[in-house]
Each structure stands twice: as C-alpha cells, then as structure tokens.
Amino acid sequence: MNAVKITENHDLNVAFEIRKSVFVEEQGVPLVDEFDQFDSLDGLAEHILAYYDGKPVGAGRIRWVDGLGKLERICILEPYRKFGLGKVIIKALEAIAVEKEITKVKLHGQTHAEGFYEKLGYQTSSDVFMEDGIPHILMTKELVAK
C-alpha cells in the first residue's frame, strides 16, 4: 500500500474515476458537484492516488484555503476499505502540507468517519452540517514539521 502525488493527466483521470465511483455512483453526489476548478494539475490543488497491490483504488486532494491545507475528496473503492488505505491517504496529504510549510489542516468529514479522523489526531470543530445531502463535520489538526 502506498500513495503518490499525481503528476500526469492520465493518473488524474484515474483518480476522477475512483471519485465518480465512490461519491457519484455510491453516495449519490450530483456529478456537477463532484468536480470543480481545482481538478487539474495547475497547482491550485495537489492530488494523490492510493494503491493496493499495485492497483489504484483510492484518491484525495489538498488545496490551500486561508493559510490552511484543506483535505478533500478522500475516497477508497468499496472492496479495498478496511485495509488501512484511509490512513495512507491522510498521511500523504499531510506530508504535502508539511512540504509547503502549512502547519494546520482541516477537512469536512462525513459524520460516520469522525472516529477514524479522531484516531489520526483530528478534532471536531463544528456542529453537523449538510454537504450534497450527506452530514459532515469540520475537523482540524495541527501538523508538526519533520
């Protein structure tokens, strides 16, 4: 298992297919809401692919909002959940933030994943709110430079 920063459009399209499968087809997020102006390799966001046995099965991105890193679009194809890939994705995105000298990150986590993020050091910073018909909470974490 590993996660790598995406540098080629082909790999970005693979990440988009994973996101479409998880968010649009599985969770019912409207396609128009899933993809946005940050879905490119132009530096507005950094994207990663997570691999299991050499196969791309997860994705995520980080972008910069008000001096913070915002982790977004974190997903894993259903058959590959529970293998620890979520942690691999989060750690890879956090490493990108540290490289950019970002000391704090945030994310909008789906409420069912709150415990997962807490185990990785995230703290809940909001009441429940809805995004695309799914309950979420704002979570934050202070990063330690390596």
Side-chain angles (χ1 to χ4, degrees):
M1 288 186 303
N2 67 319
V4 297
K5 192 183 314 186
I6 294 173
T7 60
E8 302 289 332
N9 280 315
H10 171 269
D11 291 334
L12 188 60
N13 288 326
V14 171
F16 292 165
E17 287 302 314
I18 293 168
R19 285 172 42 188
K20 182 179 173 189
S21 176
V22 172
F23 293 124
V24 177
E25 295 166 8
E26 183 181 331
Q27 296 184 354
V29 172
L31 185 62
V32 68
D33 292 342
E34 176 53 29
F35 299 99
D36 59 24
Q37 70 270 26
F38 304 107
D39 286 324
S40 67
L41 296 176
D42 63 6
L44 295 176
E46 298 279 352
H47 301 261
I48 63 161
L49 268 178
Y51 292 84
Y52 187 83
D53 285 340
K55 178 179 177 172
V57 298
R61 76 179 186 194
I62 184 169
R63 62 185 183 96
W64 326 114
V65 180
D66 300 325
L68 303 177
K70 185 170 186 238
L71 282 59
E72 301 177 321
R73 307 306 203 267
I74 298 161
C75 60
I76 301 164
L77 294 174
E78 197 279 328
Y80 299 94
R81 295 177 195 154
K82 305 295 183 193
F83 291 124
L85 283 163
K87 181 177 180 179
V88 170
I89 292 170
I90 297 298
K91 294 299 181 190
L93 293 171
E94 289 175 354
I96 292 169
V98 169
E99 285 174 14
K100 303 256 186 203
E101 299 182 355
I102 300 293
T103 59
K104 187 173 183 178
V105 291
K106 66 179 181 176
L107 57 84
H108 293 177
Q110 293 184 12
T111 54
H112 70 83
E114 185 174 12
F116 163 76
Y117 291 117
E118 285 175 343
K119 288 178 187 173
L120 295 176
Y122 286 79
Q123 297 180 332
T124 302
S125 303
S126 76
D127 291 329
V128 174
F129 59 92
M130 299 300 282
E131 273 187 0
D132 294 314
I134 301 168
H136 284 74
I137 33 105
L138 173 66
M139 301 189 80
T140 60
K141 180 179 179 179
E142 299 284 339
L143 298 178
V144 178
K146 295 185 178 183

